[in-house]
Amino acid sequence: MRSKKMKLGGKVAIVTGAGGGLGRASAIAMARDGASLVILSRTPAELRETAERIKAIGRKVLFIRADVSKPEDIEKVVHQALSRFDKIDILMNNAAIIGPLKPTFKIQEREWNQTLNINLKGVYLFSKVVIPHMIKQRKGKIINVISGLGERVMPPFGAYSVAKAGLIHLTRFMAEELKGYDIQVNGLDPGIMDTRMQEEIRASGPEVLGLELYEQILGWKERGELKPPEKVARLAVFLASAASDSINGECGTETYYRKWGYRG
């Protein structure tokens, strides 16, 4: 393969939450398009599997066990990334948890903090460490994985939804603040995918979700309506590439980005 034909040839990307789901699919898709990868998650065994698949493509990969809610872990990842590759072109903030599925007034403070720390604060912390390096090179792409639940009221997803609502606004603020440095920041809404998170939601059952919502969510799986993360990963590659240089501060799904030429 010739790198000149690749959308991400010569680029270095960090992908958080890359042990499975969209994170793994996006890391592999970026590798196929020429990028070297730095991948992290809290689950070493899954992360190692992702790394092996990237190596099989013939790309360089550095995998690190890390928790995005811990500043010391983030500093470690960025330090090792720069030591290995000397630059960071792309940051995909994907790591997330569904959090407690219960009314907000019944959520324990520990549960609330964990959900916000991973889903929102982790993005702030990671971006805060990476951005100065992107500013120095006056180029970069930041992709924040958002959710339509960040703009909807759908109990019992309160903690998750609040975190994603904050992430949508954080994405827009970062985009405005960084546009003078040729750094684009956009939100990727993957929609409803066939991932472990969906399995966890279904497993909570009608007792937690309510019968109507449970049957709706179960129906998506039974009717084959859940998207494979590999399909959504193509949008991540688009947002990481020069094809999205004119896009900044946007938040949307695959369909939304078609107005800028995304074809999937």
Side-chain angles (χ1 to χ4, degrees), residues 142-148 150-151 164-175 185-191 235 239 247-260:
I142 299 176
I143 305 163
N144 295 330
V145 179
I146 59 167
S147 169
E151 299 181 304
K164 291 298 185 178
L167 183 53
I168 290 170
H169 215 44
L170 177 61
T171 298
R172 292 167 176 157
F173 261 91
M174 289 169 57
V185 187
N186 290 294
L188 187 164
D189 179 357
L235 176 56
L239 292 175
I247 310 171
N248 194 37
E250 301 296 335
C251 294
T253 62
E254 298 163 275
T255 301
Y256 180 81
Y257 282 107
R258 285 176 186 160
K259 67 177 77 174
W260 284 282

Side-chain angles (χ1 to χ4, degrees), residues 28-228:
I28 292 170
M30 289 180 186
R32 286 197 178 116
D33 252 299
S36 298
L37 270 298
V38 179
I39 56 174
L40 59 133
S41 81
R42 297 181 296 170
T43 313
E46 294 180 347
L47 201 57
R48 192 172 292 109
E49 183 179 340
T50 305
E52 290 302 319
R53 292 178 64 177
I54 291 171
K55 289 177 183 176
I57 297 169
R59 299 287 165 245
K60 296 177 181 179
V61 58
L62 176 64
F63 65 99
I64 307 166
R65 183 190 182 280
D67 184 335
V68 299
S69 69
K70 296 180 178 179
E72 62 272 21
D73 281 14
I74 295 170
E75 292 281 357
K76 174 184 68 176
V77 170
V78 173
H79 174 74
Q80 291 187 27
L82 292 171
S83 296
R84 175 74 179 275
F85 298 113
D86 200 38
K87 63 173 184 172
I88 300 167
D89 300 295
I90 302 152
L91 171 62
M92 182 173 180
N93 289 303
N94 168 74
I97 59 172
I98 194 62
L101 299 178
K102 58 180 75 171
T104 54
F105 67 91
K106 291 186 178 181
I107 296 174
Q108 299 297 316
E109 183 179 1
R110 174 188 57 80
E111 298 173 313
W112 179 268
N113 288 343
Q114 182 187 39
T115 307
L116 272 290
N117 284 347
I118 292 175
N119 294 5
L120 178 57
K121 186 178 178 182
V123 175
Y124 152 74
L125 290 172
F126 223 121
S127 301
K128 182 178 174 65
V129 177
V130 168
I131 284 169
H133 300 286
M134 290 185 171
I135 288 177
K136 186 177 180 180
Q137 64 197 30
R138 299 195 72 82
K139 189 73 177 176
K141 302 278 186 177
I142 299 176
I143 305 163
N144 295 330
V145 179
I146 59 167
S147 169
L149 285 174
E151 299 181 304
R152 299 180 63 186
V153 177
M154 184 183 287
F157 298 100
Y160 180 84
S161 296
V162 168
K164 291 298 185 178
L167 183 53
I168 290 170
H169 215 44
L170 177 61
T171 298
R172 292 167 176 157
F173 261 91
M174 289 169 57
E176 184 66 22
E177 293 165 350
L178 296 171
K179 63 183 182 182
Y181 300 99
D182 199 15
I183 299 170
Q184 291 82 49
V185 187
N186 290 294
L188 187 164
D189 179 357
I192 307 168
M193 295 184 296
D194 194 4
T195 61
R196 185 170 55 216
M197 183 178 286
Q198 274 292 318
E199 291 176 7
E200 292 172 0
I201 294 170
R202 290 194 302 271
S204 64
E207 299 82 11
V208 171
L209 298 171
L211 182 59
E212 183 178 351
L213 181 57
Y214 173 74
E215 289 180 344
Q216 179 184 3
I217 291 172
L218 186 63
W220 294 336
K221 176 67 173 178
E222 292 176 341
R223 293 188 299 271
E225 295 175 0
L226 298 175
K227 293 184 286 187

